Amino acid sequence: MKANLHRRRARLLVPAVAAAALLAASTAACDSDTTSEGTSRSVRTLTPEHSEHGESPSGSPHAEPEGSPSTEESPRTQRSFAASVSAETERVRRKAAEQLEGVQGRGNAVGDVSVSGLPVTASEDVRSARVRITNPTDEPAFYAVKVEFVDAEDKVLDTVVVGVEDAPPDRTVDAQANSRKAAGVKTFPRVAQAERG
């Protein structure tokens, strides 16, 4: 009778062990690299629960597998990005300067533009102005704006050209004009010229 009981238990235990082994195998398969289908470890998909800036606990289903790309950018990548942004800013500035070369008077868009000084600290080596552009037309437009930084006696200390591409219709966008020459002096920015292209 004891032998029958042991056989019965063994028969019940075998399917349970097999099911556990199958579950473990399928979980391992889900965690492994994929080859021809699915998402490889080098592809990163951001979801509300997982972002590049947050760390997941190691037991979380969203934890990064070992060997994944680092979430922090390398200094070289950061420098490359900064260089590309700087090059793009310079390209737009040059386009704006070229557009203003042929402008007679103050330009056709002085009424679309306003400037205001931005607060500075004594340690800052630039003076900055916020340039606000409101495009009253019904299509995107390129704006070229020349900002003068003047002192209390109305002497022009520096002139800075700012360009804004594709300013949206009937919307206001901001840009920034920065002057190193006017640093350390109480200055007042003003719009010298503004042209909508």
Side-chain angles (χ1 to χ4, degrees):
M1 185 159 167
K2 280 187 180 179
N4 285 342
L5 184 62
H6 286 302
R7 271 192 225 114
R8 218 175 297 140
R9 283 186 183 162
R11 267 184 274 157
L12 292 173
L13 191 60
V14 168
V17 170
L22 184 61
L23 179 63
S26 65
T27 302
C30 288
D31 288 342
S32 67
D33 284 344
T34 59
T35 51
S36 62
E37 58 185 56
T39 304
S40 73
R41 283 186 179 179
S42 63
V43 177
R44 298 167 58 89
T45 304
L46 299 182
T47 62
E49 299 84 19
H50 175 238
S51 74
E52 288 191 24
H53 303 293
E55 288 187 19
S56 299
S58 58
S60 162
H62 300 291
E64 289 291 328
E66 283 186 33
S68 288
S70 170
T71 57
E72 292 185 24
E73 292 185 37
S74 70
R76 179 178 296 178
T77 303
Q78 292 170 354
R79 281 195 300 271
S80 299
F81 176 73
S84 67
V85 169
S86 180
E88 177 63 11
T89 301
E90 179 59 18
R91 182 192 69 76
V92 173
R93 189 201 67 76
R94 284 186 182 180
K95 182 178 175 181
E98 288 172 10
Q99 183 169 313
L100 289 173
E101 280 178 8
V103 173
Q104 298 294 322
R106 297 188 67 207
N108 66 7
V110 173
D112 301 352
V113 181
S114 66
V115 294
S116 57
L118 293 174
V120 293
T121 63
S123 63
E124 288 188 57
D125 58 353
V126 296
R127 294 290 292 184
S128 297
R130 178 185 189 188
V131 181
R132 302 205 79 189
I133 299 167
T134 304
N135 180 359
T137 70
D138 57 359
E139 58 186 39
F142 181 86
Y143 276 82
V145 181
K146 184 183 288 185
V147 178
E148 292 178 338
F149 289 85
V150 299
D151 65 11
E153 277 101 44
D154 208 34
K155 178 184 174 187
V156 177
L157 301 177
D158 197 9
T159 302
V160 177
V161 173
V162 175
V164 174
E165 288 190 312
D166 299 323
D170 204 27
R171 297 277 301 279
T172 299
V173 294
D174 288 351
Q176 191 166 312
N178 299 313
S179 168
R180 291 190 183 281
K181 292 180 184 176
V185 181
K186 186 171 178 63
T187 57
F188 305 92
R190 68 185 179 196
V191 179
Q193 287 182 312
E195 184 78 3
R196 183 178 60 249

PDB file of all heavy atoms in Angstrom, residues 24-37:
ATOM      1  N   ALA A  24      10.883  27.720 -16.552  1.00  0.00           N
ATOM      2  CA  ALA A  24      12.241  28.259 -16.416  1.00  0.00           C
ATOM      3  C   ALA A  24      12.898  28.394 -17.777  1.00  0.00           C
ATOM      4  O   ALA A  24      13.566  29.379 -18.070  1.00  0.00           O
ATOM      5  CB  ALA A  24      13.076  27.346 -15.505  1.00  0.00           C
ATOM      6  N   ALA A  25      12.688  27.423 -18.660  1.00  0.00           N
ATOM      7  CA  ALA A  25      13.286  27.470 -19.994  1.00  0.00           C
ATOM      8  C   ALA A  25      12.717  28.615 -20.810  1.00  0.00           C
ATOM      9  O   ALA A  25      13.430  29.336 -21.503  1.00  0.00           O
ATOM     10  CB  ALA A  25      13.063  26.148 -20.712  1.00  0.00           C
ATOM     11  N   SER A  26      11.385  28.829 -20.733  1.00  0.00           N
ATOM     12  CA  SER A  26      10.775  29.919 -21.510  1.00  0.00           C
ATOM     13  C   SER A  26      11.199  31.273 -20.980  1.00  0.00           C
ATOM     14  O   SER A  26      11.400  32.211 -21.735  1.00  0.00           O
ATOM     15  CB  SER A  26       9.250  29.781 -21.523  1.00  0.00           C
ATOM     16  OG  SER A  26       8.741  29.942 -20.219  1.00  0.00           O
ATOM     17  N   THR A  27      11.353  31.395 -19.653  1.00  0.00           N
ATOM     18  CA  THR A  27      11.817  32.668 -19.081  1.00  0.00           C
ATOM     19  C   THR A  27      13.232  32.953 -19.545  1.00  0.00           C
ATOM     20  O   THR A  27      13.564  34.076 -19.913  1.00  0.00           O
ATOM     21  CB  THR A  27      11.757  32.613 -17.535  1.00  0.00           C
ATOM     22  OG1 THR A  27      10.432  32.330 -17.153  1.00  0.00           O
ATOM     23  CG2 THR A  27      12.213  33.915 -16.920  1.00  0.00           C
ATOM     24  N   ALA A  28      14.082  31.945 -19.540  1.00  0.00           N
ATOM     25  CA  ALA A  28      15.466  32.126 -19.993  1.00  0.00           C
ATOM     26  C   ALA A  28      15.486  32.526 -21.456  1.00  0.00           C
ATOM     27  O   ALA A  28      16.263  33.371 -21.869  1.00  0.00           O
ATOM     28  CB  ALA A  28      16.264  30.842 -19.766  1.00  0.00           C
ATOM     29  N   ALA A  29      14.598  31.927 -22.258  1.00  0.00           N
ATOM     30  CA  ALA A  29      14.549  32.265 -23.682  1.00  0.00           C
ATOM     31  C   ALA A  29      14.134  33.710 -23.877  1.00  0.00           C
ATOM     32  O   ALA A  29      14.637  34.398 -24.749  1.00  0.00           O
ATOM     33  CB  ALA A  29      13.591  31.326 -24.406  1.00  0.00           C
ATOM     34  N   CYS A  30      13.212  34.205 -23.056  1.00  0.00           N
ATOM     35  CA  CYS A  30      12.764  35.592 -23.168  1.00  0.00           C
ATOM     36  C   CYS A  30      13.877  36.562 -22.803  1.00  0.00           C
ATOM     37  O   CYS A  30      13.936  37.659 -23.315  1.00  0.00           O
ATOM     38  CB  CYS A  30      11.559  35.854 -22.262  1.00  0.00           C
ATOM     39  SG  CYS A  30      10.066  35.063 -22.874  1.00  0.00           S
ATOM     40  N   ASP A  31      14.753  36.175 -21.864  1.00  0.00           N
ATOM     41  CA  ASP A  31      15.804  37.072 -21.416  1.00  0.00           C
ATOM     42  C   ASP A  31      17.019  37.064 -22.325  1.00  0.00           C
ATOM     43  O   ASP A  31      17.881  37.908 -22.213  1.00  0.00           O
ATOM     44  CB  ASP A  31      16.262  36.697 -19.988  1.00  0.00           C
ATOM     45  CG  ASP A  31      15.207  37.061 -18.948  1.00  0.00           C
ATOM     46  OD1 ASP A  31      14.344  37.883 -19.301  1.00  0.00           O
ATOM     47  OD2 ASP A  31      15.256  36.542 -17.832  1.00  0.00           O
ATOM     48  N   SER A  32      17.123  36.105 -23.239  1.00  0.00           N
ATOM     49  CA  SER A  32      18.329  36.003 -24.049  1.00  0.00           C
ATOM     50  C   SER A  32      18.267  36.962 -25.224  1.00  0.00           C
ATOM     51  O   SER A  32      17.229  37.522 -25.536  1.00  0.00           O
ATOM     52  CB  SER A  32      18.498  34.575 -24.554  1.00  0.00           C
ATOM     53  OG  SER A  32      17.459  34.279 -25.463  1.00  0.00           O
ATOM     54  N   ASP A  33      19.425  37.139 -25.890  1.00  0.00           N
ATOM     55  CA  ASP A  33      19.468  37.962 -27.099  1.00  0.00           C
ATOM     56  C   ASP A  33      18.611  37.312 -28.166  1.00  0.00           C
ATOM     57  O   ASP A  33      18.532  36.104 -28.259  1.00  0.00           O
ATOM     58  CB  ASP A  33      20.898  38.048 -27.642  1.00  0.00           C
ATOM     59  CG  ASP A  33      21.749  38.977 -26.819  1.00  0.00           C
ATOM     60  OD1 ASP A  33      21.176  39.752 -26.052  1.00  0.00           O
ATOM     61  OD2 ASP A  33      22.990  38.919 -26.963  1.00  0.00           O
ATOM     62  N   THR A  34      17.992  38.141 -29.002  1.00  0.00           N
ATOM     63  CA  THR A  34      17.253  37.586 -30.124  1.00  0.00           C
ATOM     64  C   THR A  34      18.135  37.671 -31.344  1.00  0.00           C
ATOM     65  O   THR A  34      19.077  38.442 -31.397  1.00  0.00           O
ATOM     66  CB  THR A  34      15.947  38.367 -30.361  1.00  0.00           C
ATOM     67  OG1 THR A  34      16.289  39.716 -30.604  1.00  0.00           O
ATOM     68  CG2 THR A  34      15.019  38.251 -29.196  1.00  0.00           C
ATOM     69  N   THR A  35      17.814  36.869 -32.338  1.00  0.00           N
ATOM     70  CA  THR A  35      18.649  36.872 -33.534  1.00  0.00           C
ATOM     71  C   THR A  35      17.885  37.453 -34.702  1.00  0.00           C
ATOM     72  O   THR A  35      18.033  38.607 -35.017  1.00  0.00           O
ATOM     73  CB  THR A  35      19.125  35.441 -33.849  1.00  0.00           C
ATOM     74  OG1 THR A  35      17.989  34.567 -33.861  1.00  0.00           O
ATOM     75  CG2 THR A  35      20.122  34.955 -32.816  1.00  0.00           C
ATOM     76  N   SER A  36      17.011  36.669 -35.317  1.00  0.00           N
ATOM     77  CA  SER A  36      16.370  37.140 -36.541  1.00  0.00           C
ATOM     78  C   SER A  36      15.077  37.893 -36.291  1.00  0.00           C
ATOM     79  O   SER A  36      14.592  38.562 -37.166  1.00  0.00           O
ATOM     80  CB  SER A  36      16.086  35.950 -37.462  1.00  0.00           C
ATOM     81  OG  SER A  36      15.199  35.064 -36.805  1.00  0.00           O
ATOM     82  N   GLU A  37      14.510  37.778 -35.102  1.00  0.00           N
ATOM     83  CA  GLU A  37      13.258  38.489 -34.856  1.00  0.00           C
ATOM     84  C   GLU A  37      13.256  39.055 -33.451  1.00  0.00           C
ATOM     85  O   GLU A  37      14.066  38.697 -32.630  1.00  0.00           O
ATOM     86  CB  GLU A  37      12.058  37.558 -35.063  1.00  0.00           C
ATOM     87  CG  GLU A  37      12.076  36.335 -34.176  1.00  0.00           C
ATOM     88  CD  GLU A  37      10.940  35.400 -34.498  1.00  0.00           C
ATOM     89  OE1 GLU A  37      10.818  34.979 -35.658  1.00  0.00           O
ATOM     90  OE2 GLU A  37      10.182  35.092 -33.586  1.00  0.00           O
TER      91      GLU A  37
END
